[in-house]
Amino acid sequence: MKLWPAGPLYQALLAIAAATAVAVGGYFVYRSWFADNPSCATGVSKHGPQNECVGVTDGTFSYGNNKLRKIFDLIRNENILAEKAAKKAKSSPATIALMIPMTSGNPAEQAEQVEQVKGAYLGQYHANHNAFTQPPIRLLLANPGRGYKQWRVVADQLEKATSDDHLRAVVGINISLPETKAAIGYLTRKHIPVVAGPMTADDIANDKDHLHRYPGLARVAPSNSDQADALAFYSKDIKPAETMVIEDSRDGDNYLESLRKRFEKLAKGATRAPETFISPPDFNDEGYLANSFDQMVPDICTSPAKTIYFAGRPVQLRQFLLELGERSCNKHYTVITGSHAATLTVDEKFTAHWDALTKSKGITLRYAALAHPDAWGDNSTETTGGSKAAFQELTKQLPEAGARPSDLVDGRIIITYDAVVTAVKGIRMNAMDKVKMPSLAQVASSWPRLHGEKRVQGASGWICLDQYGNPYNKAVAIVHLDPRKKTAVFDRITWPKHRAPDADCSILNEE
């Protein structure tokens, strides 16, 4: 009996069918094992339209970012030492996770990512090697993807780590966006304590009207409102009638929204309405805004403005400064903006354009920094609100992370270090007597206690948390960009309350 018809036509069709089956089978094997394999490494998998490797690692995988490889290796080694120390003490290490995007196509953002990881490592190193107490500290590195778009994937892994790895706090959260707001809300509702680092938006916080909006959230950087109040005190001689606001009106950016509100308040009495622009959805994109800024400059020149409040992100700030530098009017301008301006000091696209600040009668770019090495350096004259010793402790450890003193200028290493130091203090305050590993609730309950004698001796200044987990009257370093030195130069420390804190770092009843 013949199973298949005979003849050359049928034999040819059979050969084609067999070849097709082999090709299709090979394609699916390829897709299954190679092209669409979602695994990047243990705890890390591909997600999103860009197939980013997101997840949580102990340092064994650097998310394809070669610039992170060396510092990740140091963290991995430190984690091994922490595990050995805990085993010797017949206990377990407490784990802290740094949650920031660790992949980017923007060189300036990549530089900041490296700095923040170094700051977190130095905080871990400080905890494990200086006046060592229990429990030892492990550090996990959590990448939620660009713009925190894959935060939920990472948050679910971190929740699991609370039981599997004794995760006791998440630190970092380096930018104020709806995604970070959602991530913090999710983590804190899962009872995971969070210590935000460079995040400054006003609305991602607890306050007297929203006591438990983010239960277990602590912040170590001054908010945008605090920065604006400190800038206002520093620049109290500015006449509102001689100001103008340039603002990004893009929706969905908490940093921009709070800056707009504060700067419009400071410029109340300006003769001209704010000039507005809309940045691209990804604020790291260059877009076509240089042309918009070029068109604004003549109106700025004809206005009585001498001071410009700029509510925008770093890329747009750079574009604006370059266009303002080409103005035809021979006037000096002071441009005041928020802490994200520090990115210009590591922005390769600004490197060749420092002269924009020297053209005509010059531009002074001034901003409230998250931290600056000269604020509490050897020449500091402040008597309260911080200490030289705390800053020196960080600087002497810089070689451990392959960092230099010049790397501290934009404040990212300092503020991330302080976030880890704060988390460690909250953990160890409750690891006493027979309690070797505090609960998540115990750690979260520590934040309102971190003032007075229990204040955190931060490298950026004292961290005195109020009953809402916010830094009370935190030192604000006012700086400006110096086109001759090509760096951010420290002006002075100012205070949101317009006075230094008392020696007890007490929280005053101001109602």
Side-chain angles (χ1 to χ4, degrees):
M1 182 178 71
K2 294 182 179 180
L3 296 176
W4 301 100
L9 176 60
Y10 289 105
Q11 289 177 353
L13 289 173
L14 182 62
I16 292 171
T20 301
V22 170
V24 171
Y27 171 75
F28 282 108
V29 168
Y30 171 79
R31 277 192 48 106
S32 175
W33 290 99
F34 299 101
D36 204 30
N37 183 357
S39 176
C40 300
T42 301
V44 184
S45 54
K46 292 180 181 178
H47 291 273
Q50 294 180 306
N51 280 324
E52 289 183 88
C53 289
V54 302
V56 182
T57 177
D58 63 355
T60 55
F61 179 71
S62 61
Y63 298 105
N65 187 340
N66 290 331
K67 294 181 179 180
L68 291 173
R69 183 66 271 163
K70 288 183 179 180
I71 189 63
F72 270 47
D73 286 343
L74 291 173
I75 290 169
R76 173 59 181 149
N77 291 337
E78 186 63 28
N79 285 340
I80 292 172
L81 293 176
E83 290 162 0
K84 288 180 178 179
K87 186 176 182 180
K88 185 177 181 180
K90 297 181 179 180
S91 63
S92 299
T95 298
I96 293 172
L98 174 69
M99 185 176 179
I100 61 169
M102 298 187 190
T103 53
S104 174
N106 183 295
E109 192 171 40
Q110 291 172 357
E112 290 177 336
Q113 290 167 358
V114 173
E115 289 176 345
Q116 288 167 93
V117 175
K118 286 183 177 182
Y121 168 67
L122 289 168
Q124 178 194 25
Y125 185 90
H126 172 77
N128 289 341
H129 294 269
N130 293 274
F132 183 77
T133 58
Q134 295 292 329
I137 302 298
R138 289 178 72 243
L139 181 63
L140 297 180
L141 300 151
N143 177 28
R146 301 184 189 195
Y148 286 82
K149 296 297 184 183
Q150 308 303 321
W151 68 264
R152 180 62 185 271
V153 175
V154 172
D156 286 338
Q157 288 180 259
L158 295 176
E159 182 186 11
K160 190 172 184 293
T162 60
S163 57
D164 293 352
D165 296 301
H166 299 293
L167 178 75
R168 288 300 175 264
V170 174
V171 303
I173 316 294
N174 61 341
I175 199 163
S176 307
L177 295 169
E179 288 81 5
T180 52
K181 186 175 183 177
I184 291 172
Y186 184 83
L187 290 168
T188 54
R189 286 193 300 273
K190 294 292 184 179
H191 310 293
I192 301 173
V194 174
V195 183
M199 187 185 74
T200 59
D202 292 340
D203 62 332
I204 311 178
N206 299 312
D207 55 39
K208 64 180 181 180
D209 297 320
H210 307 89
L211 296 175
H212 307 294
R213 178 163 47 190
Y214 304 104
L217 171 63
R219 296 170 44 144
V220 298
S223 68
N224 284 344
S225 289
D226 282 352
Q227 291 178 32
D229 289 343
L231 281 165
F233 180 67
Y234 178 85
S235 309
K236 54 183 177 291
D237 295 332
I238 292 176
K239 299 176 181 178
E242 297 177 345
T243 65
M244 176 182 284
V245 176
I246 310 293
E247 59 186 28
D248 189 343
S249 57
R250 175 171 55 83
D251 290 331
D253 191 315
N254 303 76
Y255 173 82
L256 295 179
E257 183 179 351
S258 54
L259 270 189
R260 288 195 299 263
K261 289 180 179 178
R262 300 305 293 184
F263 285 166
E264 287 176 7
K265 182 178 179 181
L266 291 179
K268 188 175 181 180
T271 61
R272 301 284 181 94
E275 293 280 355
T276 64
F277 62 94
I278 301 177
S279 60
D282 181 347
F283 55 75
N284 286 313
D285 289 347
E286 298 291 324
Y288 303 98
L289 285 173
N291 186 53
S292 296
F293 293 134
D294 176 64
Q295 294 171 14
M296 285 183 194
V297 170
D299 291 329
I300 295 172
C301 278
T302 59
S303 78
K306 296 179 180 178
T307 299
I308 298 170
Y309 294 106
F310 188 88
R313 293 285 186 177
V315 169
Q316 292 72 47
L317 174 62
R318 165 170 44 82
Q319 293 174 319
F320 174 71
L321 292 173
L322 266 55
E323 297 304 323
L324 186 62
E326 297 298 328
R327 64 194 179 280
S328 59
C329 57
N330 192 27
K331 297 168 65 176
H332 177 271
Y333 288 99
T334 297
V335 178
I336 294 176
T337 189
S339 57
H340 206 179
T343 298
L344 289 185
T345 63
V346 294
D347 185 352
E348 294 176 358
K349 293 185 178 180
F350 187 69
T351 301
H353 298 287
W354 280 92
D355 64 335
L357 304 180
T358 64
K359 295 178 180 180
S360 183
K361 287 193 174 181
I363 301 171
T364 299
L365 176 68
R366 180 164 284 120
Y367 61 93
L370 295 171
H372 191 278
D374 290 337
W376 302 104
D378 292 338
N379 296 323
S380 173
T381 59
E382 299 291 339
T383 56
T384 62
S387 71
K388 294 180 182 179
F391 179 74
Q392 289 170 352
E393 189 67 31
L394 168 61
T395 55
K396 76 179 183 181
Q397 292 171 177
L398 289 177
E400 300 293 339
R404 304 160 299 175
S406 60
D407 296 332
L408 301 178
V409 171
D410 72 345
R412 294 271 170 174
I413 288 178
I414 300 173
I415 205 70
T416 310
Y417 169 87
D418 279 356
V420 172
V421 169
T422 300
V424 170
K425 186 156 189 175
I427 292 169
R428 288 181 170 173
M429 278 176 60
N430 293 282
M432 298 180 294
D433 300 326
K434 295 182 179 180
V435 178
K436 293 187 176 182
M437 184 61 60
S439 67
L440 294 169
Q442 286 176 313
V443 176
S445 69
S446 299
W447 305 151
R449 307 278 75 77
L450 296 183
H451 57 260
E453 291 185 357
K454 296 294 184 181
R455 63 179 174 265
V456 178
Q457 296 283 357
S460 61
W462 290 351
I463 299 167
C464 310
L465 298 184
D466 63 17
Q467 63 267 46
Y468 315 117
N470 300 318
Y472 179 80
N473 201 25
K474 174 74 183 294
V476 176
I478 306 299
V479 304
H480 72 275
L481 293 189
D482 187 326
R484 294 169 302 170
K485 297 180 179 179
K486 296 184 177 180
T487 189
V489 174
F490 175 69
D491 291 325
R492 61 165 289 189
I493 285 177
T494 55
W495 311 93
K497 301 297 182 185
H498 299 179
R499 52 167 174 72
D502 61 37
D504 293 330
C505 189
S506 54
I507 311 298
L508 303 182
N509 187 355
E510 298 175 339
E511 295 183 351

